[in-house]
Amino acid sequence: MSEEFARVDPDDQSTNPSANEAFQQVLERRMSRRGVLRGGTVAAAVGFIGAAGGGTAAAAVAGPHPTKGPGGRGRSLLGFKAVAASSADTVSVPPGYTTEVLVPWGTPIDSRGPKWKKDASNTAAEQEQQIGMHHDGMHLFPLRSGGRGRSGRDGGLLAINHEYTDTTLLYRDGDATLTPEKVNKALAAHGVSVVRVARQGARWRMVDSKYNRRITGNTPMAFSGPLKADHPALAAEGRARGTLNNCSSGYTPWGTYITCEENFNGYFGTEDPSWRPSAEEARYGISAAGFGYRWHTVDPRFDVAAGPEEANRFGWVVEIDPSSPRGTPVKRTALGRFKHEGATVTESRGRVVVYSGDDQDGEYVYKFVGDHGWRRLRARGKSPLDHGTLYVARFDDDGTGTWLPLKFGTGPLTAANGWKDQADVVLRTRTAADAVGATKLDRPEWVAVHPTDRDVYLTLTNGGGNGGKVNPRTPNPYGHIVRWREKNRDNTALTFEWDIFALAGDPAYDPRVTHGPDAVFGSPDGLGFDKAGRLWIQTDISNSSQNLAGKGYDNIGNNALLAADPRTGEIRRFLVGPRGAEVTGFTLAPDQRTLFVNIQHPGEATAAWGSPTPQNPRAVSNWPEFDPAGRPRPATVVIRRKDGGIIGT
Ligand code: FEO
Ligand code: CA
Ligand code: CA
């Protein structure tokens, strides 16, 4: 989720009950003592892959060339000219590449559907038939004409998350007043879009299809796993509806999309002065004010004073079958309840392994390991996401790590300690992870698994100071990327070795950062590998910091997409987004010749350029249409090479 400038960012506030300081306080102190940091010493650059004999190395901050693996002396994986850092209101890509805007917010998902109105006067009912707002994680499911295929030549089904809404830009008159219709429009702009996309020559377009579908904050939902729909903890008014704050996503080997509910807590609130959060509500950051959406003032569903049950229906990973347009999405509770940034699925020994970060300062990274081979489970009519064990990571300072089970009856999670059953464990995942001794991290975001060596990479976007060698900078305004190798390269293993792949930031402000101008970046967030093993890194610098010298971000420019060669550590900027936007969401066509990237929240309020208003929604950005009477629109950007070649080479 974007870190909004106009109010305190809840992601930067720990709700983990230990004495972390608020990020801004620490950041300001850090900036004022910059000279002290300049004189600091730097740990030796040794990564676990570079360690002699592949043995355990002391965890260290990697230098410019942290790893020289066996393949490290080959040709660089990065074959494009770096794009310069920029604060322009445009999307910049390397020479020889083209960009095309696809499915911006408000596009009708059927050509006969309601047209987008540039004054934001579309109704809630119309928004339900249009592409949602604030595109985030996505995946292209290849589809041949009339059926699924492997080539992707005919395109496929593009599933796109819509994380949240910008309430100034969503409504013609802004959000100073709120009505049930406005809340319904916001609910309709959240969720997921599934749309058929097809390529004709070099151009991609959305086409009418029986698969085109919107899933919103009002769509009926099913529950499966340890916490089922009839559990008293979920017994709110009416049947469970909706998915909210759909941040990143994943996809399964059996062809389904999994969308992740991140900052669900902020939608809830109350005007009841007698309401106090329970320990669990406080642990998830539920408060009377919420994030300022005020939905509870017009829709009792979001009033937490009525009880915790409606909020308990959120914070899950949700499985959607894009090939079943009438299917009910299923909240897979075995994967735990937290602010799921994403859910990256891989496979080892026939079992599914799902990695998921909990994006808040001082939270954890988790993995779910299937109990049995996924094919066997599916052959018996069971979901591989319902049968397995959830683990949380402990990172030790000697460069090793352990996956700790969150299993009722194991370790401290016993009846004697007040745990009822596995449903209780998954409902209170954060508290269970606290109890087993997980390691606090600087805001875990996306996870990516290397396609051949199986190493796992995790973005830690920034943090106030969680300590330990895995969080090597205090405070950490720029973030870093941590990497681990599971024992025997088996992703189901319960121990691993880790190092820090890249420390983000600008050497002008932190001498430990060694990237040149082609690679300076901050707040890594989105992450993905292509088939050749290029690591693609997307950034989400807060709009309170972006482009500002006083925040150490003046040389970094707008948010960007960069590519890294994991064998050498080289990083190169590939794309720069427009003003106020985050670059997020990453999927490639199977032939690797089309890259889809999302531009989220262009034109959002920024410290550098000001704030949009109902009178001037274009104050910060007017991307992508630059219509003098229009407004900025989040959208998917399709990137191709003019010669039709493979992206990144
Ligand atoms: Fe939705 Fe942590 O970004
Ligand atoms: Ca982020
Ligand atoms: Ca994110």
Side-chain angles (χ1 to χ4, degrees):
M1 185 181 204
S2 156
E3 302 172 43
E4 286 196 42
F5 141 70
R7 52 183 181 248
V8 174
D9 184 340
D11 303 340
D12 289 341
Q13 305 281 316
S14 176
T15 57
N16 201 335
S18 61
N20 282 347
E21 291 177 89
F23 175 65
Q24 284 303 327
Q25 292 171 304
V26 187
L27 174 63
E28 267 141 39
R29 192 170 67 242
R30 182 254 167 195
M31 297 313 292
S32 69
R33 66 171 191 194
R34 193 185 304 154
V36 176
L37 284 175
R38 277 183 194 280
T41 54
V42 184
V46 179
F48 66 81
I49 295 174
T56 300
V61 175
H65 302 289
T67 59
K68 283 281 185 192
R73 277 176 284 280
R75 207 165 128 222
S76 172
L77 284 174
L78 310 182
F80 58 90
K81 189 173 186 302
V83 171
S86 167
S87 58
D89 191 24
T90 189
V91 172
S92 307
V93 290
Y97 283 81
T98 61
T99 62
E100 183 183 9
V101 171
L102 188 72
V103 293
W105 159 52
T107 305
I109 62 167
D110 183 289
S111 59
R112 295 156 296 184
K115 298 281 180 274
W116 186 67
K117 293 179 180 167
K118 63 186 177 186
D119 65 355
S121 62
N122 284 115
T123 64
E126 289 170 341
Q127 176 67 75
E128 270 185 11
Q129 302 171 64
Q130 298 172 330
I131 297 285
M133 204 176 203
H134 284 16
H135 305 33
D136 205 318
M138 67 179 154
H139 187 68
L140 179 68
F141 294 87
L143 188 73
R144 282 186 196 277
S145 303
R148 282 177 189 275
R150 299 189 68 181
S151 76
R153 187 178 173 80
D154 298 317
L157 299 179
L158 190 61
I160 305 171
N161 281 356
H162 302 292
E163 189 182 31
Y164 70 105
T165 55
D166 184 320
T167 52
T168 302
L169 300 173
L170 180 68
Y171 309 122
R172 186 168 50 176
D173 61 346
D175 71 343
T177 60
L178 209 54
T179 62
E181 161 70 13
K182 282 181 160 178
V183 172
N184 278 328
K185 185 174 182 185
L187 286 163
H190 280 73
V192 175
S193 297
V194 179
V195 289
R196 176 93 159 87
V197 292
R199 177 168 66 83
Q200 287 184 332
R203 300 208 62 186
W204 286 79
R205 60 196 173 85
M206 188 184 75
V207 293
D208 288 346
S209 165
K210 66 181 179 183
Y211 298 114
N212 289 8
R213 173 185 197 187
R214 280 302 322 282
I215 290 155
T216 74
N218 275 325
T219 302
M221 296 281 148
F223 278 79
S224 193
L227 187 73
K228 300 194 184 342
D230 60 358
H231 193 283
L234 301 177
E237 184 74 23
R239 76 168 290 183
R241 294 182 281 140
T243 182
L244 291 171
N245 217 264
N246 303 81
C247 183
S248 181
S249 55
Y251 57 96
T252 65
W254 53 95
T256 59
Y257 185 65
I258 48 180
T259 181
C260 299
E261 298 178 335
E262 191 190 8
N263 294 295
F264 64 93
N265 56 312
Y267 297 93
F268 295 89
T270 189
E271 308 271 279
D272 182 344
S274 67
W275 179 82
R276 296 287 179 276
S278 67
E280 285 311 314
E281 287 169 325
R283 188 69 186 80
Y284 285 106
I286 292 170
S287 67
F291 290 170
Y293 296 106
R294 311 185 331 272
W295 289 1
H296 58 274
T297 62
V298 295
D299 186 343
R301 181 181 165 198
F302 297 99
D303 190 332
V304 281
E309 292 82 6
E310 182 65 26
N312 285 344
R313 291 170 166 180
F314 295 89
W316 306 104
V317 169
V318 187
E319 186 175 21
I320 294 167
D321 183 352
S323 69
S324 175
R326 287 184 190 78
T328 303
V330 184
K331 300 204 174 186
R332 296 291 179 193
T333 61
L335 278 67
R337 176 173 178 248
F338 48 91
K339 295 182 183 179
H340 283 279
E341 174 76 17
T344 301
V345 183
T346 191
E347 193 179 330
S348 185
R349 299 191 294 126
R351 303 180 188 197
V352 286
V353 176
V354 188
Y355 294 99
S356 187
D358 183 356
D359 181 10
Q360 190 169 350
D361 199 6
E363 293 302 333
Y364 311 127
V365 65
Y366 297 81
K367 87 169 172 183
F368 171 86
V369 178
D371 282 341
H372 306 287
W374 67 263
R375 287 183 179 82
R376 199 169 116 202
L377 284 163
R378 282 181 56 81
R380 293 176 181 176
K382 295 181 172 177
S383 168
L385 299 179
D386 285 348
H387 301 276
T389 303
L390 185 66
Y391 298 88
V392 66
R394 190 185 75 212
F395 292 81
D396 293 317
D397 280 353
D398 65 358
T400 66
T402 305
W403 291 105
L404 307 163
L406 301 177
K407 195 167 185 174
F408 176 68
T410 299
L413 306 178
T414 59
N417 287 332
W419 294 91
K420 296 193 195 90
D421 51 21
Q422 189 62 22
D424 190 25
V425 170
V426 296
L427 188 64
R428 299 193 281 144
T429 302
R430 283 183 164 183
T431 305
D434 297 342
V436 300
T439 299
K440 292 180 184 178
L441 297 167
D442 291 348
R443 293 189 56 196
E445 302 252 22
W446 291 39
V447 175
V449 180
H450 190 282
T452 52
D453 71 21
R454 317 303 304 157
D455 287 345
V456 188
Y457 291 68
L458 165 69
T459 44
L460 296 172
T461 199
N462 51 54
N466 289 295
K469 286 190 176 169
V470 73
N471 306 299
R473 183 161 49 190
T474 297
N476 183 10
Y478 297 113
H480 56 288
I481 300 173
V482 66
R483 163 178 61 179
W484 61 90
R485 176 173 296 168
E486 305 277 15
K487 188 175 184 185
N488 300 326
R489 299 183 195 268
D490 171 2
N491 295 84
T492 69
L494 300 185
T495 58
F496 58 91
E497 295 178 356
W498 64 270
D499 74 354
I500 288 174
F501 173 64
L503 196 62
D506 180 349
Y509 293 93
D510 184 343
R512 288 173 296 179
V513 178
T514 46
H515 307 301
D518 288 349
V520 291
F521 69 105
S523 296
D525 189 335
L527 202 62
F529 278 103
D530 61 23
K531 281 183 183 168
R534 263 174 231 93
L535 180 64
W536 295 85
I537 305 164
Q538 301 176 311
T539 72
D540 177 20
I541 305 160
S542 165
N543 274 325
S544 63
S545 305
Q546 211 169 162
N547 290 294
L548 296 181
K551 302 283 187 170
Y553 267 102
D554 50 327
N555 300 319
I556 293 180
N558 294 348
N559 278 308
L561 167 69
L562 306 98
D565 184 340
R567 304 171 311 175
T568 63
E570 184 189 1
I571 299 175
R572 210 177 280 179
R573 194 180 300 99
F574 179 83
L575 173 150
V576 179
R579 289 184 176 175
E582 166 185 352
V583 179
T584 185
F586 175 86
T587 189
L588 283 149
D591 66 5
Q592 311 286 286
R593 293 169 196 274
T594 302
L595 168 63
F596 300 83
V597 169
N598 284 328
I599 300 297
Q600 192 192 84
H601 63 75
E604 184 175 83
T606 66
W609 290 290
S611 301
T613 61
Q615 294 71 37
N616 182 16
R618 301 165 293 281
V620 174
S621 170
N622 200 9
W623 186 88
E625 285 144 1
F626 301 100
D627 182 329
R631 60 190 56 225
R633 297 172 81 181
T636 301
V637 173
V638 180
I639 298 153
R640 287 184 52 88
R641 271 169 54 163
K642 287 176 187 161
D643 65 2
I646 290 172
I647 304 295
T649 58

